[in-house]
Amino acid sequence: MTASTPAAARTRRQHHTDELRFLTCGSVDDGKSTLIGRLLYESKLLPSDHLAALEADSRRAGTRGGELDFALLVDGLAAEREQGITIDVAYRFFATERRRFVVADTPGHEQYTRNMVTGASNAEAAVVLLDARTGVLTQTRRHARLLALLGIRHVALAVNKLDLVGYSRSVFEKISGQFREFAAGIGLDDVTCIPTSAVHGDNVTARSDATPWYGGPTLLGWLESVEPAAASGGPARFLVQWVNRPEPGFRGYSGQVVRGRLRRGDRVRVAPGNIEATVGRIVTMDGDLDEATRGMATTVMLDDDVDVSRGDVLAAAGDPVDTATAFQAHLVWLDEREMLPGRQYLAKLGASTVGLTVETPKYRVDVDSGNHLPARTLRRDEIAVANVHLDTEVAYEPYRTASELGSFIVLDRLGNATAGAGMIDFALRRSATVRWQSVTVDKNARSARNGHRPCVVWFTGLSGAGKSTIADLVEKALHAQGRHTFLLDGDNVRHGLNKDLGFTDADRVENIRRIGEVAALMVDAGLIVLASFISPFRQERALARGLVEPGEFCEVHVDAPLEHVERRDPKGLYARARRGELANFTGIDSPYEPPERPEIRLDTTALTAEQAAEEVLARLRETGVLRGS
Amino acid sequence: MRRAHLDRLEAESIDIFREAAAESERPVLLYSIGKDSSVLLHLARKAFYPSLPPFPLLHVDTTWKFREMIVFRDATARNMGMELIVHRNPECVAAGINPFDHGSATHTDLWKTQGLRQAMEEHRFDLAFGGARRDEEASRAKERVFSFRNAGHRWDARHQRPELWRLYNARTGPGESIRVFPLSNWTELDVWYYIERERIPIVPLYFAAERPVVERDGVLIMVDDDRMPLDAGEEPQLRTVRFRTLGCYPLTGAVCSDATTVPEIIAEMRATTTSERHGRVIDHDRAGSMERKKQEGYF
Ligand SMILES: Nc1nc2c(ncn2[C@@H]2O[C@H](COP(=O)(O)OP(=O)(O)O)[C@@H](O)[C@H]2O)c(=O)[nH]1
């Protein structure tokens, strides 16, 4: 840390950069709560009733034998007080004459990746704590790697509990040297190391007499002097959040400048798309502006009559923003339910929410060692590099260039959980260049000749419920009528197309994805496709449905209770699964999610196979798939 | 001095308003008439200007608010041209629930917690803006900006949605809802600086004036109407007081003060050392009471 020049200090004052959001990370018991508590306490904003409570609590529960235990200031929730641990990300506030601070406090134990990434995503600087007695540990490296991943530029290392090593200069210097070297290797180049004792207050807000050999800033001094991210560099990017139409004559776009600056009269290009327009007015409730800089929330009116909607980006015409539908990204998984390649998720990026699927990860990153490991799925707290595909083109920037347009969250379609977080590395140009071949002989032409409409009849249900028997009867009947059909089932798929897949959740998803794609191609070929698969997950059946046009998918739930099929057990599979010889068997140790609204439900405990097949055929006649019969 | 951090807080709050309104079907702003609500409303107007905010105001009334609050509320809604929905829990009206006979905990739970649930369900609101700040109370420090509530309106501190960057998740299933707190990162002092800078109208009770008060358990309670039962020999005194927070008058402590302008209030705050919720009687009921109320769906 170099002492800041008077000129730099002056600029700062002119720029009024008087807020800093930072993150603290450390392992349990390194003294993080004590340190934050002390910053709150010393910033003298602590109300007297809080202080009285602190004194009382310190006597009752404190670990400091009657002295003030600052950690108690920071531990908020009853649940965590009882367990003596911090459970999530907490935000705290304090201020000095020069700056106001928001501290994101994240725990050092379980779910550390999830919590730390969350806290770091909105931080401009970070304080990493370690215990001087133990030095740089695996956890310290883990914290530093996550900071580098999230692009945190400014890092302070607090070498804490220095009192317990006799305020030793050589201990401090050894640890600082180790950390600096490691940090430089992972791209953290602005690192300041500070010798502290959180309980005694050394070098926290005031310079300590116990470390006369230390010439750097105190922790608070460092926090007051860190420069947050550069203000308004780069080309203009304005993110449209809301179309503002109070009356017919006014059409504005409310949103935020996320990069650069936007001026009245600027030519902008609307992305995605190719249209250009001129910024006519920049409207706020306090009056029109000539320009809006990064971070400002305004409403922009364009001179030209163009169509802009939520999620679009207005970008400097001379330096427009790229658009794409596929990316390589770093993904951090946050949800208990593991990430399954091929599964349909949603992504929120900028102000757009679009469909997303993830390919099998290229590799997983071990945050403790930095090693690349193979991975097929992704569990909570794991980080991977993978290609992702969106169902809609979006405007983006690489995360390193502009995090506002390079970050996304992954949403689970069923429970709406925030399941993952992503950072765009670069776009895969492939998606832009592979265009659909437009063909002259299309589905309609084939359908006209065939005398029936193509469709997928998807039979789902437990093993032994009767799917194949019924599908076979339906196909025979159709064939006899001269219809063009094809039956897809486990036998003809598992032995060829999908012979590389097993029965894990991830493989089941991929299995159904491939079958869905094949079925969709066959629909294009004009066939009536009968697909007979257990297909236990709602989401994958929805995926298969989504691959063909509305009305071309008929979901048939071949329904029989587990006790019933287990009693039938025509292939002896249930018995084997019960004996533990078959893993991941649907109904036994792998779930079956019944359809909520199938087109047809066949109760095979009440119907014969012939009756069931006739119900399916009747439905195909009613919906006009079969003509002239 | 230009306070640049207020610009940043303002822009962040506006961003939150726009995201929430764009991503929900039936949003509502919980308007509780206090200074935080005044700031909230001001920011909502800025977010959508020149349009009016695309949602109504909802006041969950208890019939025990200061009279000046109600006057201010009605005038504000009228001046802004916004729809105001006032909900009073009909069961409480029928049973005459009040803090004197039923105790502050029951009073607050039935009127406010249950009342809010009723109103959310009756109008099928899927998203509600509120003025809570993370600096108010320890359990709020971990609250999200977009806080998910299950179909039973409960807050589960252990299973909150992680919140990254400015990418808020407003998605809900049937019966579920989201509480959105645009002032999450504001402190009490920021609120006052902003009121001063933007000249935002607030209820006059925040300013010192002579008011009739009685002292109970060391707390100064204003006798706002004749429903307040007085002990034998208890005589309201005229004292120069003001309020740091506003709620039900029998449950809100006044502070002795001469501050009659916003700058005077700020100067007083910078010198005082008592936190804001101190004057709220409900908080002292039990340790961790706020957290418990939140889990039960209190705002
Ligand atoms: N001697 C000494 N003890 C410390 C120091 N900092 C924290 N502690 C003690 O270490 C223990 C863990 O501190 P705490 O702040 O709760 O750690 P956290 O888990 O990182 O939040 C407590 O008993 C503290 O009093 C320090 O600098 N020196």
Side-chain angles (χ1 to χ4, degrees), chain A residues 1 98 102 113 144 188 321 333 472 521 575:
Chain A
M1 169 81 206
R98 297 173 61 178
V102 182
T113 300
L188 294 175
V321 68
W333 205 246
D472 186 53
L521 284 174

Short mmCIF file of all heavy atoms in Angstrom, two decimals, chain A residues 1 98 102 113 144 188 321 333 472 521 575:
data_model
loop_
_atom_site.label_atom_id
_atom_site.label_comp_id
_atom_site.label_asym_id
_atom_site.label_seq_id
_atom_site.Cartn_x
_atom_site.Cartn_y
_atom_site.Cartn_z
N MET A 1 0.85 -1.20 0.00
CA MET A 1 0.00 0.00 0.00
C MET A 1 0.88 1.23 0.00
O MET A 1 1.67 1.45 0.89
CB MET A 1 -0.87 -0.04 1.26
CG MET A 1 -1.64 1.23 1.57
SD MET A 1 -3.12 1.35 0.60
CE MET A 1 -3.32 3.12 0.58
N ARG A 98 -15.03 10.35 6.45
CA ARG A 98 -14.69 10.35 5.04
C ARG A 98 -15.53 9.43 4.20
O ARG A 98 -15.65 9.61 2.99
CB ARG A 98 -13.21 9.95 4.87
CG ARG A 98 -12.31 10.97 5.52
CD ARG A 98 -10.90 10.53 5.51
NE ARG A 98 -10.39 10.34 4.14
CZ ARG A 98 -9.15 9.99 3.90
NH1 ARG A 98 -8.32 9.77 4.90
NH2 ARG A 98 -8.73 9.84 2.67
N VAL A 102 -20.42 -0.40 3.84
CA VAL A 102 -21.34 -1.53 3.97
C VAL A 102 -20.46 -2.78 4.02
O VAL A 102 -19.67 -3.01 3.10
CB VAL A 102 -22.31 -1.63 2.78
CG1 VAL A 102 -23.28 -2.79 2.98
CG2 VAL A 102 -23.06 -0.32 2.59
N THR A 113 -18.68 -21.40 -0.05
CA THR A 113 -18.58 -20.91 -1.42
C THR A 113 -19.82 -20.11 -1.77
O THR A 113 -19.75 -18.98 -2.24
CB THR A 113 -18.41 -22.07 -2.40
OG1 THR A 113 -17.21 -22.76 -2.07
CG2 THR A 113 -18.29 -21.56 -3.83
N ALA A 144 -9.05 -16.51 -1.21
CA ALA A 144 -8.38 -15.68 -2.21
C ALA A 144 -8.81 -16.09 -3.62
O ALA A 144 -9.05 -15.24 -4.48
CB ALA A 144 -6.87 -15.80 -2.06
N LEU A 188 -4.44 -11.58 -8.08
CA LEU A 188 -4.78 -10.51 -7.12
C LEU A 188 -3.52 -9.69 -6.93
O LEU A 188 -2.57 -10.14 -6.30
CB LEU A 188 -5.21 -11.10 -5.77
CG LEU A 188 -6.50 -11.90 -5.73
CD1 LEU A 188 -6.70 -12.49 -4.33
CD2 LEU A 188 -7.70 -11.03 -6.10
N VAL A 321 -22.74 -3.34 -28.50
CA VAL A 321 -22.56 -4.49 -27.61
C VAL A 321 -22.81 -5.76 -28.40
O VAL A 321 -23.62 -5.77 -29.34
CB VAL A 321 -23.51 -4.32 -26.40
CG1 VAL A 321 -24.97 -4.46 -26.81
CG2 VAL A 321 -23.20 -5.31 -25.30
N TRP A 333 -22.52 -23.38 -8.25
CA TRP A 333 -23.83 -23.96 -7.96
C TRP A 333 -24.22 -23.63 -6.51
O TRP A 333 -23.42 -23.71 -5.59
CB TRP A 333 -23.83 -25.47 -8.20
CG TRP A 333 -25.23 -25.91 -8.48
CD1 TRP A 333 -26.01 -26.72 -7.74
CD2 TRP A 333 -26.01 -25.51 -9.62
NE1 TRP A 333 -27.25 -26.84 -8.33
CE2 TRP A 333 -27.28 -26.11 -9.47
CE3 TRP A 333 -25.79 -24.68 -10.73
CZ2 TRP A 333 -28.31 -25.92 -10.41
CZ3 TRP A 333 -26.81 -24.50 -11.65
CH2 TRP A 333 -28.04 -25.11 -11.48
N ASP A 472 -47.26 -50.73 -28.30
CA ASP A 472 -47.17 -51.71 -29.38
C ASP A 472 -48.54 -51.92 -30.03
O ASP A 472 -48.66 -51.97 -31.26
CB ASP A 472 -46.64 -53.03 -28.80
CG ASP A 472 -46.38 -54.06 -29.87
OD1 ASP A 472 -45.65 -53.70 -30.82
OD2 ASP A 472 -46.90 -55.19 -29.77
N LEU A 521 -37.17 -34.72 -34.66
CA LEU A 521 -36.76 -34.88 -36.07
C LEU A 521 -37.74 -35.78 -36.81
O LEU A 521 -38.09 -35.54 -37.96
CB LEU A 521 -35.35 -35.50 -36.13
CG LEU A 521 -34.18 -34.56 -35.83
CD1 LEU A 521 -32.87 -35.35 -35.78
CD2 LEU A 521 -34.09 -33.45 -36.87
N ALA A 575 -37.78 -57.02 -7.72
CA ALA A 575 -37.18 -57.91 -6.73
C ALA A 575 -35.67 -57.67 -6.65
O ALA A 575 -35.09 -57.55 -5.57
CB ALA A 575 -37.47 -59.36 -7.11
#
